[in-house]
């Protein structure tokens, strides 16, 4: 009788795999880093009540997704090479800083882990998420995307 693992691997080979919307290259890597860090933030929070942190990390993740989709449309690639285009390179740098800041927010939350969060307990994580949001907005600006429904100057 086949084991559960071997059955899954056989079924996985038989079913067609849908390609990821961001491909397999640089932009997917950028989004995956932010996505993993966001997941860590939410995991660390667990059942604690911290709606401000959840809202900020969710908004940041959604902006990064929009940036990565726009960058993928402009420069679809299957490798991890940073494009020579200055705007795309600037967006990639900003997205990397975003991922780092979200990961720092998760670390700050781990260090202040308690059942009931106070404003002073999550101040470090909120500062890190503010840096993440600023970096994500910088990436959006480099790509000419609107942030919070406002188009950058010179864009319609």
């Amino acid at each position: 009788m086949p084991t559960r693992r071997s059955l899954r691997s056989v079924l996985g080979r038989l079913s067609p795999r849908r390609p990821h919307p961001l491909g397999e290259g640089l932009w997917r890597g950028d989004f995956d880093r932010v996505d993993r860090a966001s997941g860590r933030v939410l995991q660390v929070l667990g059942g604690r009540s911290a709606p401000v942190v959840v809202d900020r990390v969710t908004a940041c993740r959604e902006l990064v997704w929009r940036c990565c989709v726009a960058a993928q449309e402009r420069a679809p690639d299957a490798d991890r090479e940073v494009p020579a285009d200055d705007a795309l390179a600037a967006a990639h740098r900003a997205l990397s800083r975003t991922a780092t800041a979200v990961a720092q927010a998760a670390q700050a939350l781990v260090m202040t882990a308690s059942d009931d969060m106070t404003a002073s307990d999550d101040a470090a994580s909120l500062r890190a998420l503010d840096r993440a949001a600023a970096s994500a907005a910088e990436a959006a600006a480099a790509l000419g995307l609107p942030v919070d429904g406002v188009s950058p100057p010179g864009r319609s």
Side-chain angles (χ1 to χ4, degrees), residues 56-74:
R56 287 189 188 180
V57 78
T58 301
C60 185
R61 182 183 176 278
E62 289 171 1
L63 181 55
V64 167
W65 174 260
R66 287 184 21 229
C67 289
C68 289
V69 167
Q72 175 70 13
E73 289 172 357
R74 284 177 58 180

PDB file of all heavy atoms in Angstrom, residues 56-74:
ATOM      1  N   ARG A  56      -0.933  47.464   9.729  1.00  0.00           N
ATOM      2  CA  ARG A  56       0.256  48.005   9.058  1.00  0.00           C
ATOM      3  C   ARG A  56       1.000  46.955   8.259  1.00  0.00           C
ATOM      4  O   ARG A  56       1.443  47.213   7.138  1.00  0.00           O
ATOM      5  CB  ARG A  56       1.193  48.652  10.074  1.00  0.00           C
ATOM      6  CG  ARG A  56       0.661  49.963  10.587  1.00  0.00           C
ATOM      7  CD  ARG A  56       1.687  50.675  11.405  1.00  0.00           C
ATOM      8  NE  ARG A  56       1.096  51.842  12.054  1.00  0.00           N
ATOM      9  CZ  ARG A  56       1.772  52.651  12.829  1.00  0.00           C
ATOM     10  NH1 ARG A  56       3.049  52.444  13.056  1.00  0.00           N
ATOM     11  NH2 ARG A  56       1.175  53.679  13.389  1.00  0.00           N
ATOM     12  N   VAL A  57       1.146  45.767   8.825  1.00  0.00           N
ATOM     13  CA  VAL A  57       1.877  44.724   8.095  1.00  0.00           C
ATOM     14  C   VAL A  57       1.074  44.260   6.883  1.00  0.00           C
ATOM     15  O   VAL A  57       1.635  43.989   5.819  1.00  0.00           O
ATOM     16  CB  VAL A  57       2.284  43.553   9.020  1.00  0.00           C
ATOM     17  CG1 VAL A  57       1.136  42.625   9.318  1.00  0.00           C
ATOM     18  CG2 VAL A  57       3.433  42.770   8.404  1.00  0.00           C
ATOM     19  N   THR A  58      -0.237  44.228   6.993  1.00  0.00           N
ATOM     20  CA  THR A  58      -1.089  43.836   5.870  1.00  0.00           C
ATOM     21  C   THR A  58      -1.024  44.878   4.752  1.00  0.00           C
ATOM     22  O   THR A  58      -0.887  44.532   3.575  1.00  0.00           O
ATOM     23  CB  THR A  58      -2.542  43.637   6.343  1.00  0.00           C
ATOM     24  OG1 THR A  58      -2.556  42.632   7.360  1.00  0.00           O
ATOM     25  CG2 THR A  58      -3.439  43.202   5.210  1.00  0.00           C
ATOM     26  N   ALA A  59      -1.103  46.145   5.104  1.00  0.00           N
ATOM     27  CA  ALA A  59      -1.030  47.216   4.100  1.00  0.00           C
ATOM     28  C   ALA A  59       0.323  47.209   3.399  1.00  0.00           C
ATOM     29  O   ALA A  59       0.406  47.382   2.175  1.00  0.00           O
ATOM     30  CB  ALA A  59      -1.285  48.566   4.756  1.00  0.00           C
ATOM     31  N   CYS A  60       1.378  46.987   4.150  1.00  0.00           N
ATOM     32  CA  CYS A  60       2.723  46.951   3.576  1.00  0.00           C
ATOM     33  C   CYS A  60       2.842  45.775   2.600  1.00  0.00           C
ATOM     34  O   CYS A  60       3.355  45.928   1.487  1.00  0.00           O
ATOM     35  CB  CYS A  60       3.746  46.831   4.694  1.00  0.00           C
ATOM     36  SG  CYS A  60       5.442  46.925   4.125  1.00  0.00           S
ATOM     37  N   ARG A  61       2.358  44.620   3.006  1.00  0.00           N
ATOM     38  CA  ARG A  61       2.421  43.426   2.150  1.00  0.00           C
ATOM     39  C   ARG A  61       1.649  43.654   0.853  1.00  0.00           C
ATOM     40  O   ARG A  61       2.101  43.282  -0.218  1.00  0.00           O
ATOM     41  CB  ARG A  61       1.865  42.223   2.905  1.00  0.00           C
ATOM     42  CG  ARG A  61       1.932  40.930   2.133  1.00  0.00           C
ATOM     43  CD  ARG A  61       1.283  39.799   2.935  1.00  0.00           C
ATOM     44  NE  ARG A  61       1.266  38.587   2.180  1.00  0.00           N
ATOM     45  CZ  ARG A  61       0.365  38.268   1.259  1.00  0.00           C
ATOM     46  NH1 ARG A  61      -0.615  39.124   0.968  1.00  0.00           N
ATOM     47  NH2 ARG A  61       0.413  37.122   0.617  1.00  0.00           N
ATOM     48  N   GLU A  62       0.482  44.270   0.950  1.00  0.00           N
ATOM     49  CA  GLU A  62      -0.324  44.525  -0.244  1.00  0.00           C
ATOM     50  C   GLU A  62       0.367  45.513  -1.188  1.00  0.00           C
ATOM     51  O   GLU A  62       0.334  45.335  -2.408  1.00  0.00           O
ATOM     52  CB  GLU A  62      -1.703  45.051   0.152  1.00  0.00           C
ATOM     53  CG  GLU A  62      -2.567  43.985   0.789  1.00  0.00           C
ATOM     54  CD  GLU A  62      -3.855  44.522   1.379  1.00  0.00           C
ATOM     55  OE1 GLU A  62      -4.106  45.753   1.291  1.00  0.00           O
ATOM     56  OE2 GLU A  62      -4.611  43.722   1.944  1.00  0.00           O
ATOM     57  N   LEU A  63       1.026  46.537  -0.647  1.00  0.00           N
ATOM     58  CA  LEU A  63       1.742  47.488  -1.489  1.00  0.00           C
ATOM     59  C   LEU A  63       2.934  46.813  -2.169  1.00  0.00           C
ATOM     60  O   LEU A  63       3.202  47.043  -3.348  1.00  0.00           O
ATOM     61  CB  LEU A  63       2.201  48.704  -0.678  1.00  0.00           C
ATOM     62  CG  LEU A  63       2.951  49.787  -1.461  1.00  0.00           C
ATOM     63  CD1 LEU A  63       2.131  50.289  -2.655  1.00  0.00           C
ATOM     64  CD2 LEU A  63       3.317  50.932  -0.529  1.00  0.00           C
ATOM     65  N   VAL A  64       3.618  45.954  -1.441  1.00  0.00           N
ATOM     66  CA  VAL A  64       4.748  45.223  -2.028  1.00  0.00           C
ATOM     67  C   VAL A  64       4.253  44.326  -3.158  1.00  0.00           C
ATOM     68  O   VAL A  64       4.889  44.239  -4.215  1.00  0.00           O
ATOM     69  CB  VAL A  64       5.505  44.418  -0.954  1.00  0.00           C
ATOM     70  CG1 VAL A  64       6.472  43.423  -1.579  1.00  0.00           C
ATOM     71  CG2 VAL A  64       6.245  45.371  -0.022  1.00  0.00           C
ATOM     72  N   TRP A  65       3.104  43.682  -2.965  1.00  0.00           N
ATOM     73  CA  TRP A  65       2.542  42.839  -4.024  1.00  0.00           C
ATOM     74  C   TRP A  65       2.294  43.681  -5.286  1.00  0.00           C
ATOM     75  O   TRP A  65       2.672  43.292  -6.381  1.00  0.00           O
ATOM     76  CB  TRP A  65       1.253  42.169  -3.569  1.00  0.00           C
ATOM     77  CG  TRP A  65       0.573  41.417  -4.679  1.00  0.00           C
ATOM     78  CD1 TRP A  65      -0.486  41.845  -5.426  1.00  0.00           C
ATOM     79  CD2 TRP A  65       0.937  40.145  -5.204  1.00  0.00           C
ATOM     80  NE1 TRP A  65      -0.808  40.910  -6.374  1.00  0.00           N
ATOM     81  CE2 TRP A  65       0.045  39.852  -6.261  1.00  0.00           C
ATOM     82  CE3 TRP A  65       1.927  39.221  -4.884  1.00  0.00           C
ATOM     83  CZ2 TRP A  65       0.119  38.673  -6.992  1.00  0.00           C
ATOM     84  CZ3 TRP A  65       1.990  38.047  -5.614  1.00  0.00           C
ATOM     85  CH2 TRP A  65       1.092  37.787  -6.653  1.00  0.00           C
ATOM     86  N   ARG A  66       1.659  44.842  -5.111  1.00  0.00           N
ATOM     87  CA  ARG A  66       1.389  45.721  -6.256  1.00  0.00           C
ATOM     88  C   ARG A  66       2.679  46.134  -6.947  1.00  0.00           C
ATOM     89  O   ARG A  66       2.754  46.174  -8.183  1.00  0.00           O
ATOM     90  CB  ARG A  66       0.609  46.959  -5.805  1.00  0.00           C
ATOM     91  CG  ARG A  66      -0.835  46.659  -5.471  1.00  0.00           C
ATOM     92  CD  ARG A  66      -1.683  47.879  -5.103  1.00  0.00           C
ATOM     93  NE  ARG A  66      -1.190  49.142  -5.557  1.00  0.00           N
ATOM     94  CZ  ARG A  66      -1.075  50.232  -4.774  1.00  0.00           C
ATOM     95  NH1 ARG A  66      -1.417  50.182  -3.509  1.00  0.00           N
ATOM     96  NH2 ARG A  66      -0.627  51.361  -5.268  1.00  0.00           N
ATOM     97  N   CYS A  67       3.695  46.443  -6.167  1.00  0.00           N
ATOM     98  CA  CYS A  67       4.988  46.834  -6.734  1.00  0.00           C
ATOM     99  C   CYS A  67       5.603  45.683  -7.531  1.00  0.00           C
ATOM    100  O   CYS A  67       6.102  45.882  -8.645  1.00  0.00           O
ATOM    101  CB  CYS A  67       5.961  47.254  -5.629  1.00  0.00           C
ATOM    102  SG  CYS A  67       5.573  48.823  -4.851  1.00  0.00           S
ATOM    103  N   CYS A  68       5.562  44.497  -6.977  1.00  0.00           N
ATOM    104  CA  CYS A  68       6.168  43.342  -7.650  1.00  0.00           C
ATOM    105  C   CYS A  68       5.412  42.986  -8.929  1.00  0.00           C
ATOM    106  O   CYS A  68       6.028  42.628  -9.933  1.00  0.00           O
ATOM    107  CB  CYS A  68       6.230  42.148  -6.703  1.00  0.00           C
ATOM    108  SG  CYS A  68       7.451  42.369  -5.383  1.00  0.00           S
ATOM    109  N   VAL A  69       4.092  43.103  -8.916  1.00  0.00           N
ATOM    110  CA  VAL A  69       3.309  42.835 -10.126  1.00  0.00           C
ATOM    111  C   VAL A  69       3.666  43.858 -11.204  1.00  0.00           C
ATOM    112  O   VAL A  69       3.894  43.501 -12.365  1.00  0.00           O
ATOM    113  CB  VAL A  69       1.792  42.846  -9.819  1.00  0.00           C
ATOM    114  CG1 VAL A  69       0.965  42.892 -11.090  1.00  0.00           C
ATOM    115  CG2 VAL A  69       1.422  41.623  -8.983  1.00  0.00           C
ATOM    116  N   ALA A  70       3.746  45.130 -10.829  1.00  0.00           N
ATOM    117  CA  ALA A  70       4.096  46.176 -11.797  1.00  0.00           C
ATOM    118  C   ALA A  70       5.507  45.968 -12.336  1.00  0.00           C
ATOM    119  O   ALA A  70       5.755  46.113 -13.533  1.00  0.00           O
ATOM    120  CB  ALA A  70       3.970  47.549 -11.155  1.00  0.00           C
ATOM    121  N   ALA A  71       6.440  45.614 -11.473  1.00  0.00           N
ATOM    122  CA  ALA A  71       7.817  45.388 -11.911  1.00  0.00           C
ATOM    123  C   ALA A  71       7.901  44.165 -12.820  1.00  0.00           C
ATOM    124  O   ALA A  71       8.633  44.179 -13.814  1.00  0.00           O
ATOM    125  CB  ALA A  71       8.729  45.214 -10.702  1.00  0.00           C
ATOM    126  N   GLN A  72       7.139  43.121 -12.506  1.00  0.00           N
ATOM    127  CA  GLN A  72       7.124  41.916 -13.332  1.00  0.00           C
ATOM    128  C   GLN A  72       6.570  42.222 -14.726  1.00  0.00           C
ATOM    129  O   GLN A  72       7.048  41.685 -15.723  1.00  0.00           O
ATOM    130  CB  GLN A  72       6.291  40.811 -12.658  1.00  0.00           C
ATOM    131  CG  GLN A  72       6.104  39.547 -13.463  1.00  0.00           C
ATOM    132  CD  GLN A  72       7.374  38.738 -13.619  1.00  0.00           C
ATOM    133  OE1 GLN A  72       8.368  38.975 -12.953  1.00  0.00           O
ATOM    134  NE2 GLN A  72       7.346  37.774 -14.516  1.00  0.00           N
ATOM    135  N   GLU A  73       5.583  43.108 -14.789  1.00  0.00           N
ATOM    136  CA  GLU A  73       5.034  43.491 -16.093  1.00  0.00           C
ATOM    137  C   GLU A  73       6.066  44.260 -16.918  1.00  0.00           C
ATOM    138  O   GLU A  73       6.135  44.100 -18.122  1.00  0.00           O
ATOM    139  CB  GLU A  73       3.776  44.342 -15.909  1.00  0.00           C
ATOM    140  CG  GLU A  73       2.590  43.561 -15.409  1.00  0.00           C
ATOM    141  CD  GLU A  73       1.400  44.439 -15.031  1.00  0.00           C
ATOM    142  OE1 GLU A  73       1.516  45.691 -15.107  1.00  0.00           O
ATOM    143  OE2 GLU A  73       0.365  43.883 -14.651  1.00  0.00           O
ATOM    144  N   ARG A  74       6.852  45.098 -16.244  1.00  0.00           N
ATOM    145  CA  ARG A  74       7.863  45.889 -16.960  1.00  0.00           C
ATOM    146  C   ARG A  74       9.100  45.087 -17.314  1.00  0.00           C
ATOM    147  O   ARG A  74       9.736  45.346 -18.337  1.00  0.00           O
ATOM    148  CB  ARG A  74       8.284  47.091 -16.103  1.00  0.00           C
ATOM    149  CG  ARG A  74       7.227  48.174 -16.107  1.00  0.00           C
ATOM    150  CD  ARG A  74       7.560  49.326 -15.227  1.00  0.00           C
ATOM    151  NE  ARG A  74       8.817  49.990 -15.551  1.00  0.00           N
ATOM    152  CZ  ARG A  74       9.271  51.035 -14.878  1.00  0.00           C
ATOM    153  NH1 ARG A  74       8.581  51.524 -13.864  1.00  0.00           N
ATOM    154  NH2 ARG A  74      10.416  51.594 -15.214  1.00  0.00           N
TER     155      ARG A  74
END
